[in-house]
């Protein structure tokens, strides 16, 4: 099975990887069929774990390879990574400002972005969709880098791209439930709550295909694209995931879970690489 997957075109690999991470979000959203109530302590621990995975993936799978790919030392090696990293954060900040959205666990009056009459469910989906764009890009760029390596660019292994996919899939699970469970608690049907929960990750396969195609077509962009995805993911972690995980008083659990998530992603990356 793995040998067959390795023989596929990198864009198709990225699509399949994006579909996997979307399915993990859908699986988490499906938890609403088992329970309408959300165990806040457990969810905060899962969000802390997700934050750790994203931080580790940003460094081990994206930012460090961006520096190594520059092929030199000193300022020249750091420049593409630094430029791409900041650009990723600025891009997410721009979306954060331009799009109305509501982070899971927050009351409707704390919706961010322009004033809007959109329903709570729509605002939640927008927020998680913004979160998932950099994750999809990260997956796509990683698999695009595998294709670039096959063309003579010594960088990425298929194992590292798969590790990134597994890590993002693991941290997507609580995100689906974080959207679907509150909606069910507010009176939405289980089917409707599941629909909105999984809908937030539909963008990941699309972003993955875009990222893979972009770096294959314009290979010099690869270090910038890797760092861009890292910067966008770190922005999401700092602006959304960590504050949300500690908002309800479970700070120690969320922090320890973050450490576990970081180590888990680190082990995945080192093992698969």
């Amino acid at each position: 099975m793995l040998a067959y997957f390795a023989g596929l075109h990198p864009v198709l690999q990225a699509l399949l990887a994006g579909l996997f991470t979307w399915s993990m979000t859908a699986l988490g959203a499906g938890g609403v069929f088992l329970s309408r109530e959300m165990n806040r302590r457990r969810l905060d621990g899962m969000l802390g774990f997700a934050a750790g995975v994203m931080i580790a993936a940003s460094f081990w799978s994206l930012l460090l390879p961006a520096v190594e790919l520059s092929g030199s030392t000193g300022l020249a090696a750091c420049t593409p990574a630094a430029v791409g990293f900041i650009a990723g954060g600025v891009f997410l900040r721009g979306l954060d400002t331009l799009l109305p959205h509501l982070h899971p666990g927050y009351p409707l009056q704390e919706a961010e972005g322009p004033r809007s009459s959109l329903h709570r469910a729509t605002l939640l989906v927008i927020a998680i969709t913004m979160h998932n764009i950099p994750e999809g890009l990260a997956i796509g760029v990683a698999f695009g880098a595998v294709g670039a390596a096959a063309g003579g660019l010594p960088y990425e292994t298929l194992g590292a791209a798969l590790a990134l996919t597994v890590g993002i899939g693991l941290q997507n699970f609580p995100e689906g439930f974080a959207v679907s469970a509150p909606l069910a608690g507010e009176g939405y049907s289980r089917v409707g709550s599941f629909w909105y929960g999984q809908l937030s990750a539909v963008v990941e396969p699309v972003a993955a295909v875009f990222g893979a195609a972009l770096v294959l077509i314009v290979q010099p962009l690869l270090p910038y694209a890797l760092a861009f995805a890292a910067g966008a993911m770190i922005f999401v972690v700092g602006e959304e995931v960590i504050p949300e995980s500690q908002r309800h008083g479970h700070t120690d659990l969320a922090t320890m879970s973050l450490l576990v998530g970081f180590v888990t992603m680190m082990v995945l990356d080192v093992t698969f690489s």
Side-chain angles (χ1 to χ4, degrees), residues 53 55-66 138 141-142 155-156 160-161 163-165 226 230 265 268-270 273:
V53 168
I55 293 171
S58 297
F59 176 74
W60 293 97
S61 300
L62 299 170
L63 193 60
L64 182 60
V141 170
Y155 155 58
E156 185 69 67
L164 178 63
T165 301
L226 287 165
M265 185 63 224
L268 281 173
D269 190 87
V270 172
S273 298

Side-chain angles (χ1 to χ4, degrees), residues 30-259:
V32 75
F33 291 110
L34 302 177
S35 174
R36 285 178 177 270
E37 296 183 3
M38 179 172 56
N39 185 312
R40 190 68 241 186
R41 178 180 174 82
R42 184 181 303 131
L43 182 60
D44 287 346
M46 295 170 72
L47 289 172
F49 179 87
V53 168
M54 293 178 72
I55 293 171
S58 297
F59 176 74
W60 293 97
S61 300
L62 299 170
L63 193 60
L64 182 60
V67 174
E68 294 173 344
L69 188 61
S70 299
S72 59
T73 58
L75 181 61
C78 293
T79 299
V83 171
F85 187 84
I86 296 299
V90 170
F91 173 74
L92 257 293
R93 173 56 183 160
L95 289 183
D96 203 50
T97 303
L98 295 174
L99 297 178
H101 59 283
L102 177 67
H103 298 307
Y106 285 60
L108 187 58
Q109 59 268 27
E110 293 188 30
E112 300 180 9
R115 305 196 74 167
S116 171
S117 59
L118 294 174
H119 293 297
R120 177 184 180 85
T122 304
L123 293 171
L124 283 169
V125 169
I126 292 174
I128 301 298
T129 299
M130 289 166 53
H131 182 155
N132 287 334
I133 289 174
E135 295 174 4
L137 284 175
I139 291 170
V141 170
F143 281 100
V146 175
L153 223 137
Y155 155 58
E156 185 69 67
T157 66
L158 180 61
L162 290 173
L164 178 63
T165 301
V166 171
I168 289 177
L170 287 175
Q171 64 93 33
N172 272 5
F173 182 85
E175 291 179 359
F177 192 65
V179 175
S180 63
L183 292 178
E186 293 177 8
Y188 283 77
S189 69
R190 293 179 190 267
V191 172
S193 300
F194 167 77
W195 171 256
Y196 283 113
Q198 63 80 34
L199 187 63
S200 61
V202 169
V203 70
E204 286 200 8
V206 177
V209 167
F210 174 80
L214 179 64
V215 298
L216 285 173
I217 294 170
V218 191
Q219 289 192 6
L221 284 179
L222 183 53
Y224 295 93
L226 287 165
F228 181 95
M233 287 176 67
I234 291 297
F235 179 90
V236 168
V237 171
E239 197 267 347
E240 176 187 342
V241 183
I242 291 177
E244 182 186 339
S245 71
Q246 304 207 0
R247 179 179 173 89
H248 301 276
H250 306 127
T251 56
D252 291 339
L253 173 64
T255 302
M256 294 306 298
S257 298
L258 184 151
L259 297 180

Side-chain angles (χ1 to χ4, degrees), residues 10-34:
V11 173
L12 182 55
Q13 291 174 340
L15 173 61
L16 294 175
L19 289 173
F20 166 75
T21 57
W22 163 78
S23 71
M24 290 298 291
T25 304
L27 185 63
V32 75
F33 291 110
L34 302 177

